[in-house]
Amino acid sequence: MFFEGSEKKLEVVVTLGKGLESLRSLGDEYWSEIVAASQAKILSKMSSASCDAYLLSESSLFVWDDHFTMITCGQTTLVPVVKLFLQSVPLDRVESLIFERKNEYFPHRQTTDFYEDIGHLRQLMPGKAYRFGRAEDHHLFLFHLDRPYSPPKEDVTLEILMYDLQAESARVFSSGQHDSTKICELTSVDKIFSGFQIDDYVFEPCGYSLNALNNEKYYTIHVTPQEASSYVSFETNYDVCQELPQTIQRVIEVFRPGSFDVALFHPERSLPIQVPGFELRSQTSQELKCGYGVTFTHYESPHRPVEGAYEIKEWTSARL
Amino acid sequence: MFFEGSEKKLEVVVTLGKGLESLRSLGDEYWSEIVAASQAKILSKMSSASCDAYLLSESSLFVWDDHFTMITCGQTTLVPVVKLFLQSVPLDRVESLIFERKNEYFPHRQTTDFYEDIGHLRQLMPGKAYRFGRAEDHHLFLFHLDRPYSPPKEDVTLEILMYDLQAESARVFSSGQHDSTKICELTSVDKIFSGFQIDDYVFEPCGYSLNALNNEKYYTIHVTPQEASSYVSFETNYDVCQELPQTIQRVIEVFRPGSFDVALFHPERSLPIQVPGFELRSQTSQELKCGYGVTFTHYESPHRPVEGAYEIKEWTSARL
């Protein structure tokens, strides 16, 4: 079964005032329409004093007063979300806009590629676009609004993008085997950090999503356990810079990937990251004009013996 | 400028007789139509006693009496070639058919993906399909007709697929700088093996193709020097098993890639390959039911420092 776990992400910061008191007060119906523009839908909502966290049919949306973060996978597309959002909040109210897109397992099945996406975004705003990582290897595309911005000091985002899960780890997240309670018991995904409230969802026939919220801090996990394209993303705005290797290690141990990427957004500097037990294969660092330092690092397990070829038993003769 | 150097390949062996005396005698017009079915066209032809070698607008075609090998890049597609060929040579005359497809730089710009391709091929014949290498990493897809076949002992094919060329190497192959004579003088691509006749082509605005022929033996080189998607393929049926590391080394030194893959088709066994100066990152070996042992190996240069992000200055808002 084909499912694209690799995600696109949109992060937008706005200036409040002039009739816009809070993005949260735009309401569930507004955000449902925003989500629908990406071809996903809202499954559930959890709120803290500072944030509304929506679990989506394809990943997650977090809305704070003055910014939102939308992460979507599958065949969703975020350029229509930008267009729709700018109809209610004009571009001059946007302080920062960052659009990311991870390299995909099944890129041909996407409705657009990144080059098309940024072609459309450039018609809406001035922007700069980058590729972190080599084109023929793991990489992350990034587009940002070309406008000076000074992120708050504590504005750190950590993304851990995991591939090639060990069969045993993948099996835990295949529905029919375990419900949400059992998954949390077996993996402690609900306790990556302490003091967070949890909203999670077990998908049919397989897959798992989790939103975790502690006032303005979140973490979120999305699991695609399918053997042909196994993928897990972990993301948080919890400031983990003091214990970055430990945090990465903790997440890696839950999912046991064969390889993974780390993207770190830091308002001041890009950090070098070493992860015990894995080889750092490549590292890309860039200071962006929109105020963030971004480091993208690709790791592989060093223990990779000669393998047999993977026999493909799925195909389609449908025109995609 | 976008150009997909990564190739598809079709290799077909037939039983002669019953009115089919030689595939070569089907004639240039026939092979022009076959090539047109892939959306490519013939640029030139060179012949030896055993083989007709066609240089194509997108790569190469080699035709012997009882088999042919067609390699195409760009947005070409080989499934229509299979369909057209089977109209003149029915499936019961086909002894072996292998279709390969390398992972691409711009997969979204392809008219099909491999899963679609094999969906169509399965409607024409029984087959097995494999992926060599991990889905999220360098990999080679392979489909073969599910029919027992015993390749001749000397039937060895070596493919070296090179990525991330050093800027200096890439520049040699950018047109406007050098003609064919100068390229051969600077790189010795015409002397990878001795005793071969050469037919080559310098593309505008850049790119280079070479066919080399020595009776039934060929080698062929296709260079895509564009910075955003640099790629070179080298392929030969010259039996290099006795000096495999030296041959790979010689080819690698011409193009100086940051990483490369080796695919080796051998009728008896799959060989382990070590290449000095590069790290073997992964190796996949499979004995195929159609008689070949295939080894696919991915190598990376160990000297890869922290890089800045690649700024993307090309995009399109056209629907692809």
Side-chain angles (χ1 to χ4, degrees):
Chain A
M1 204 189 49
F2 299 108
F3 188 79
E4 184 64 68
S6 319
E7 285 134 337
K8 299 105 182 164
K9 179 179 164 187
L10 176 65
E11 201 151 39
V12 180
V13 184
V14 302
T15 311
L16 296 178
K18 294 186 185 169
L20 178 65
E21 295 318 311
S22 165
L23 293 175
R24 298 176 74 187
S25 66
L26 293 172
D28 290 347
E29 203 172 314
Y30 177 85
W31 290 106
S32 289
E33 280 174 32
I34 287 286
V35 169
S38 77
Q39 305 297 319
K41 53 187 184 197
I42 293 173
L43 299 177
S44 64
K45 180 187 177 186
M46 165 177 71
S47 296
S48 71
S50 309
C51 180
D52 295 318
Y54 298 90
L55 259 186
L56 308 185
S57 53
E58 281 96 352
S59 304
S60 292
L61 166 67
F62 298 91
V63 185
W64 296 262
D65 283 336
D66 69 348
H67 66 290
F68 74 92
T69 296
M70 185 168 175
I71 303 166
T72 65
C73 61
Q75 295 178 305
T76 56
T77 169
L78 292 179
V79 172
V81 168
V82 174
K83 283 187 184 163
L84 186 60
F85 182 76
L86 292 180
Q87 286 173 20
S88 47
V89 180
L91 190 62
D92 59 14
R93 311 296 300 276
V94 174
E95 292 186 33
S96 170
L97 183 147
I98 295 178
F99 168 66
E100 288 170 53
R101 191 161 167 175
K102 190 66 179 70
N103 65 292
E104 285 125 6
Y105 273 108
F106 308 110
H108 185 69
R109 291 164 193 240
Q110 294 294 312
T111 56
T112 65
D113 69 7
F114 181 75
Y115 304 94
E116 278 181 278
D117 287 346
I118 62 174
H120 291 295
L121 291 174
R122 296 274 305 193
Q123 293 176 338
L124 302 170
M125 69 191 75
K128 284 187 162 288
Y130 294 94
R131 186 190 69 233
F132 288 75
R134 279 176 291 271
E136 86 289 358
D137 211 333
H138 287 225
H139 57 264
L140 180 72
F141 291 113
L142 184 149
F143 170 94
H144 70 81
L145 170 63
D146 192 6
R147 184 172 286 179
Y149 175 65
S150 296
K153 264 203 163 165
E154 71 282 7
D155 185 2
V156 172
T157 303
L158 170 68
E159 303 172 9
I160 309 176
L161 314 166
M162 292 162 272
Y163 297 83
D164 195 17
L165 306 194
Q166 278 192 12
E168 200 184 326
S169 306
R171 218 169 297 134
V172 175
F173 298 96
S174 296
S175 180
Q177 305 234 355
H178 301 303
D179 63 8
S180 155
T181 311
K182 187 75 180 168
I183 285 174
C184 290
E185 185 191 317
L186 287 168
T187 63
S188 301
V189 281
D190 56 334
K191 297 181 189 68
I192 300 281
F193 304 121
S194 58
F196 278 69
Q197 56 175 318
I198 301 293
D199 182 18
D200 67 352
Y201 195 90
V202 181
F203 289 87
E204 289 288 349
C206 62
Y208 177 76
S209 284
L210 176 145
N211 282 346
L213 212 50
N214 181 350
N215 203 0
E216 81 281 8
K217 297 298 181 186
Y218 71 92
Y219 72 86
T220 184
I221 294 172
H222 301 287
V223 184
T224 301
Q226 283 92 325
E227 190 191 1
S229 56
S230 65
Y231 178 81
V232 179
S233 69
F234 170 87
E235 173 167 329
T236 187
N237 66 347
Y238 197 59
D239 188 348
V240 294
C241 287
Q242 296 309 313
E243 47 168 31
L244 196 55
Q246 297 88 326
T247 302
I248 295 173
Q249 195 71 29
R250 208 182 314 153
V251 173
I252 294 304
E253 272 164 17
V254 172
F255 300 102
R256 299 175 175 266
S259 70
F260 65 95
D261 305 323
V262 173
L264 183 70
F265 288 70
H266 194 279
E268 288 172 345
R269 60 206 168 99
S270 51
L271 298 176
I273 312 158
Q274 295 288 339
V275 181
F278 281 82
E279 285 181 19
L280 192 161
R281 293 302 307 164
S282 71
Q283 185 160 346
T284 313
S285 275
Q286 185 73 40
E287 303 290 328
L288 301 180
K289 274 180 72 184
C290 66
Y292 293 93
V294 180
T295 303
F296 176 81
T297 318
H298 172 50
Y299 299 86
E300 277 182 28
S301 158
H303 311 296
R304 317 199 105 194
V306 177
E307 295 169 343
Y310 176 79
E311 185 171 357
I312 298 170
K313 295 187 168 165
E314 296 178 281
W315 47 76
T316 172
S317 53
R319 187 167 171 80
L320 297 174
Chain B
M1 204 189 49
F2 299 109
F3 187 80
E4 184 65 65
S6 318
E7 285 133 339
K8 300 104 181 163
K9 179 179 165 187
L10 177 65
E11 202 150 37
V12 180
V13 184
V14 301
T15 312
L16 295 179
K18 294 187 185 169
L20 180 64
E21 294 320 309
S22 165
L23 292 175
R24 298 176 74 188
S25 65
L26 292 173
D28 289 347
E29 202 171 317
Y30 177 84
W31 291 106
S32 288
E33 279 174 32
I34 287 285
V35 169
S38 77
Q39 304 296 319
K41 53 186 185 201
I42 293 173
L43 299 178
S44 63
K45 180 187 179 186
M46 164 178 69
S47 296
S48 72
S50 309
C51 180
D52 295 318
Y54 299 91
L55 258 187
L56 308 185
S57 53
E58 281 94 352
S59 304
S60 291
L61 166 67
F62 298 91
V63 185
W64 297 262
D65 282 338
D66 70 347
H67 65 289
F68 73 92
T69 296
M70 186 169 174
I71 304 167
T72 64
C73 61
Q75 293 178 306
T76 56
T77 169
L78 291 179
V79 172
V81 168
V82 175
K83 284 188 184 162
L84 186 59
F85 181 76
L86 291 180
Q87 286 173 19
S88 46
V89 180
L91 189 62
D92 59 12
R93 312 296 301 276
V94 175
E95 293 188 29
S96 169
L97 183 149
I98 295 178
F99 168 65
E100 290 171 53
R101 191 162 166 172
K102 189 64 179 70
N103 65 289
E104 285 125 5
Y105 274 109
F106 308 109
H108 185 69
R109 293 167 190 234
Q110 294 294 313
T111 56
T112 64
D113 68 9
F114 181 75
Y115 304 94
E116 276 181 280
D117 288 346
I118 62 175
H120 290 296
L121 291 174
R122 296 275 303 191
Q123 293 176 339
L124 301 171
M125 68 192 77
K128 284 188 161 290
Y130 294 93
R131 187 191 66 234
F132 288 75
R134 279 177 291 274
E136 87 287 359
D137 212 332
H138 287 226
H139 57 266
L140 180 72
F141 290 114
L142 185 150
F143 171 94
H144 69 82
L145 171 64
D146 193 4
R147 184 172 287 177
Y149 175 66
S150 295
K153 264 203 164 167
E154 70 284 4
D155 186 3
V156 172
T157 303
L158 170 68
E159 303 171 9
I160 309 176
L161 315 165
M162 293 162 270
Y163 297 82
D164 194 18
L165 306 194
Q166 278 192 14
E168 200 185 324
S169 308
R171 219 168 299 135
V172 176
F173 298 96
S174 297
S175 180
Q177 305 233 356
H178 302 305
D179 62 9
S180 158
T181 311
K182 187 76 180 169
I183 285 174
C184 290
E185 183 190 318
L186 286 169
T187 64
S188 300
V189 283
D190 55 334
K191 297 182 189 69
I192 300 284
F193 304 122
S194 59
F196 279 70
Q197 55 174 320
I198 302 292
D199 182 18
D200 66 352
Y201 195 92
V202 182
F203 289 86
E204 289 287 348
C206 61
Y208 178 75
S209 283
L210 176 146
N211 282 347
L213 211 52
N214 181 350
N215 202 0
E216 79 282 8
K217 298 299 181 186
Y218 71 93
Y219 72 85
T220 184
I221 293 173
H222 301 286
V223 184
T224 302
Q226 283 91 327
E227 190 190 0
S229 57
S230 65
Y231 178 82
V232 178
S233 69
F234 169 88
E235 173 167 330
T236 188
N237 66 346
Y238 197 58
D239 189 348
V240 293
C241 286
Q242 296 309 315
E243 46 168 32
L244 197 55
Q246 296 89 326
T247 303
I248 295 174
Q249 195 71 28
R250 207 179 317 152
V251 173
I252 293 305
E253 272 164 18
V254 173
F255 300 103
R256 302 176 171 265
S259 70
F260 66 95
D261 305 324
V262 173
L264 183 70
F265 287 69
H266 194 279
E268 289 173 342
R269 59 205 170 100
S270 52
L271 299 176
I273 312 159
Q274 295 287 340
V275 181
F278 281 83
E279 286 182 20
L280 192 161
R281 293 304 304 163
S282 71
Q283 185 160 344
T284 312
S285 274
Q286 186 73 39
E287 303 290 328
L288 301 180
K289 273 180 71 186
C290 65
Y292 293 93
V294 180
T295 304
F296 177 81
T297 318
H298 172 51
Y299 299 85
E300 277 183 28
S301 157
H303 311 295
R304 317 199 101 192
V306 177
E307 293 168 345
Y310 176 79
E311 186 169 358
I312 298 170
K313 294 188 170 166
E314 296 179 278
W315 47 76
T316 172
S317 54
R319 188 167 171 78
L320 297 176

